[in-house]
Structure formats: C-alpha cells, structure tokens
Amino acid sequence: MESSSNPIQDYLSYALAAAHRKMQASLSTRLKQHGIQIEAWRILETLEAGHRLTMGQLAEVVLMNPPTLTKLVDRMVSDGLVHRQVAQADHRQVNVLPTALGKKRMLQIREEVQEQDIEFQSLLGKDEASKLIELLRGVVQ
Amino acid sequence: MESSSNPIQDYLSYALAAAHRKMQASLSTRLKQHGIQIEAWRILETLEAGHRLTMGQLAEVVLMNPPTLTKLVDRMVSDGLVHRQVAQADHRQVNVLPTALGKKRMLQIREEVQEQDIEFQSLLGKDEASKLIELLRGVVQ
DNA sequence: TGATTTTACTTTCCAAGTCAAATAAATTTC
DNA sequence: GAAATTTATTTGACTTGGAAAGTAAAATCA
C-alpha cells in the first residue's frame, strides 16, 4: 500500500504515532525473546538508577497510568523481578525496588534495547537521530 | 517529578514514546468532546481521500491490527459513520466507505485536529515542527 | 484535637485489544 | 480441474487497559 499524497501523513500526531508504532513493534519483538514487555524493561531500567521511587513517581517516568502500573508491578513481583516496600516516612506511599534477579535480567535486556537504538540511529544517521531526540524532548518539554 | 539525568530519557524509543503519549493524551481529550476516538477519526480522514480501501489497506494506514479494526468498524457501522461493501473483483476483500454522516462528522473533527497540530507547531516553532515530521517519516520510511 | 480535605495507591468493572483459530475466496500446483 | 496452498477478513477466548470508586494515611483547619 502506497499513497504519497494522503493528507493524514501531514498531521504531526499521525507522523508521531506511525514512528512510535514501528519502533514499539520492533522493540517488542526483541524483548519477547527475553520474555518481558517494554514497560517492564522501563521499570527495571528506571529503578536501576538507584533512586527510591514511589509507585506514583514510577508511573510518571515509565509513561503508565497508576492502575496499569499496579497490575504490572503485581506480575513483576510474582516473577521475582521487583518487590514493594511501604515508605516509612509516608505510609500511603509504596516504594518499588528491584531484586537481584531483576537487576541481572535488566542488564541482559538493556543490551537488546541498545542494539535496537543503534539500529535506528544508523538508519537515520547519527546527527539526525540526536536532532530527533532533541525535537521529541521539545514536544514533551 | 524531575530527574534530568535519568538514562532512560536518552533512548530513542523512550523519547518517541513520551512525545507520543503526550500528544495522544491531548488529542484524545479534544476528540472526546466530539464523542470519537483517535483511530475512528483516522479512518474517516483516510476514507475521505476518496480511494476505495479494503480493510487490510485501511488497517495499515490507520496503524491498527486487523482484528482491532474489524471491531472498530463494527462500532462505526452501528454509529452510522461508515458501511462495508464486499469487493466485486475479489470477494475476500471488504471495502469500507464513509456515509454522509461520517463525512459531515469528519469535517467537524478535522478542525479540532488541525487546531491541535497548530498548537504543537507553535510550541516547537514552525521550522522545527516540519523538521520533526521529516525525521519521523525517516523512522517509518 | 476532632472533623474535613487532600493525596497515594489499589480494586473493580467494563470496554477494548491480542493471538490463534476459523471461514471463505482466490491462486497455484500437479 | 481437483487438491493443496495462500490470502483477506472475522470470530472467539483470553488478557489487558482505563475510569471511577474504594481504602487508608497524611495534611489542613476550625
């Protein structure tokens, strides 16, 4: 299917959705080999940084709604990748911490994600790729 | 929540997902006022171009998986926005056509989407916005 | 301090999405 | 030209996602 003069292609929201879909599909296929979903990787990668994050903070960083995160963390707990800890300062808050297994798996998966990034960067060219990231950050602010 | 040195921000896939999420959320809120979802708008916008598209072609353009499209088109048929027609040349194929109501509603919704695009374009600057679309197309090819 | 409001997270219920199988028509092969 | 294969779409079982309500702790306030 080829339709070079389709007006929908000119909408920024569409161009973004199309690029996102392609990248997600590609990354998702890669991570499936490791038996993990993209969001779970994001959680492990974020927690690895070492900051003690609450569910709410984590939800924001990993781009998920809180109820969806709750359910994914449930699954990750039963897979032994993370555990929960009620924050001592504020008992409403729940911290999420990676387990030893979670850290180990993250390092393996990170390589896969980096390969993917390199693949797309070489597809675009290095300068174009950094320009793209810069512009995307401008969208988010 | 602010974490300027979080390594996850440096992945192209993450930057793309974050920008996409923000734009989808904003557009989705706008379209909710018209009682329609983003994908349904994409379908109407695509069909408006006048080409006679099959379910498969439409699925590709509107960035949906075929089973998901089938169900959305079911709903749009019962909302009176589109109708199906078995292709005469190949009876396996199904064409989707907009109804008069579908065309009318599309014109209203298009304005909303264009406002949204203008909003984001002025946020980025006109040149940066066209550069972004160009780079995003490079990702998809 | 007791009552009210706000905040953090989870649960519930329903709508929507996915994967694999089913159906049905067209094409290929022998 | 019948049988086997491929292609286009839908169906059905199951899972996931989202909105709104529920729970519980902290903060505000009167």
Side-chain angles (χ1 to χ4, degrees):
Chain A
M1 165 67 213
E2 194 46 59
S3 163
S4 59
S5 66
N6 193 325
I8 205 177
Q9 323 281 355
D10 295 336
Y11 289 95
L12 185 50
S13 65
Y14 180 86
L16 203 40
H20 174 249
R21 179 175 163 89
K22 183 170 179 186
M23 181 150 304
Q24 291 290 108
S26 163
L27 185 54
S28 173
T29 302
R30 279 176 180 273
L31 297 195
K32 221 160 266 169
Q33 294 168 344
H34 296 259
I36 202 162
Q37 78 186 80
I38 295 173
E39 287 83 0
W41 166 68
R42 281 195 204 132
I43 290 172
L44 292 176
E45 183 74 61
T46 301
L47 295 180
E48 152 70 26
H51 312 113
R52 179 170 274 265
L53 294 181
T54 65
M55 289 291 285
Q57 294 169 325
L58 189 55
E60 205 176 319
V61 177
V62 304
L63 314 172
M64 296 178 78
N65 297 327
T68 311
L69 179 63
T70 290
K71 290 160 197 169
L72 178 52
V73 168
D74 287 349
R75 277 175 258 146
M76 292 176 75
V77 167
S78 51
D79 292 346
L81 299 173
V82 296
H83 63 100
R84 284 185 169 95
Q85 208 170 61
V86 172
Q88 70 281 54
D90 183 337
H91 286 203
R92 290 170 304 180
Q93 297 184 334
V94 174
N95 293 124
V96 187
L97 301 162
T99 61
L101 176 64
K103 289 178 189 175
K104 189 181 129 199
R105 303 267 277 104
M106 192 279 288
L107 292 175
Q108 298 161 345
I109 297 159
R110 177 187 277 169
E111 301 220 357
E112 197 77 52
V113 184
Q114 286 175 345
E115 272 179 38
Q116 149 103 8
D117 248 54
I118 289 165
E119 186 188 308
F120 274 88
Q121 273 174 24
S122 64
L123 198 137
L124 283 172
K126 199 162 173 32
D127 291 349
E128 302 276 275
S130 354
K131 182 68 181 167
L132 177 54
I133 290 200
E134 185 196 318
L135 290 170
L136 290 170
R137 283 189 184 145
V139 172
V140 180
Q141 295 186 87
Chain B
M1 165 65 213
E2 195 46 59
S3 162
S4 60
S5 67
N6 193 325
I8 206 177
Q9 323 280 357
D10 296 336
Y11 289 95
L12 185 50
S13 65
Y14 180 86
L16 204 39
H20 174 250
R21 179 175 163 90
K22 183 171 179 184
M23 181 150 304
Q24 291 289 109
S26 162
L27 186 54
S28 173
T29 302
R30 279 176 180 274
L31 297 196
K32 221 159 268 170
Q33 295 169 342
H34 296 259
I36 201 160
Q37 77 186 82
I38 295 173
E39 288 82 0
W41 166 68
R42 282 194 203 134
I43 290 171
L44 292 176
E45 183 74 61
T46 301
L47 296 180
E48 152 70 26
H51 311 113
R52 178 171 276 265
L53 294 181
T54 65
M55 289 292 285
Q57 293 170 325
L58 189 55
E60 205 176 317
V61 176
V62 304
L63 313 173
M64 295 178 79
N65 297 328
T68 312
L69 179 63
T70 290
K71 287 158 193 168
L72 177 53
V73 168
D74 287 349
R75 276 175 260 146
M76 291 177 75
V77 167
S78 50
D79 291 346
L81 299 173
V82 297
H83 63 100
R84 286 185 169 94
Q85 207 169 63
V86 172
Q88 69 282 53
D90 183 337
H91 286 201
R92 292 169 304 181
Q93 298 183 333
V94 174
N95 293 124
V96 187
L97 301 162
T99 61
L101 175 64
K103 289 178 188 175
K104 189 182 130 201
R105 302 268 276 106
M106 192 279 289
L107 292 174
Q108 298 160 346
I109 297 159
R110 176 187 278 168
E111 301 220 358
E112 197 77 51
V113 183
Q114 286 176 345
E115 272 179 38
Q116 149 103 9
D117 249 54
I118 288 165
E119 185 187 308
F120 274 88
Q121 273 174 25
S122 63
L123 197 136
L124 283 171
K126 201 162 171 32
D127 291 349
E128 302 277 275
S130 354
K131 181 68 180 169
L132 177 55
I133 290 201
E134 185 196 316
L135 290 171
L136 290 170
R137 283 188 183 146
V139 171
V140 180
Q141 296 186 90

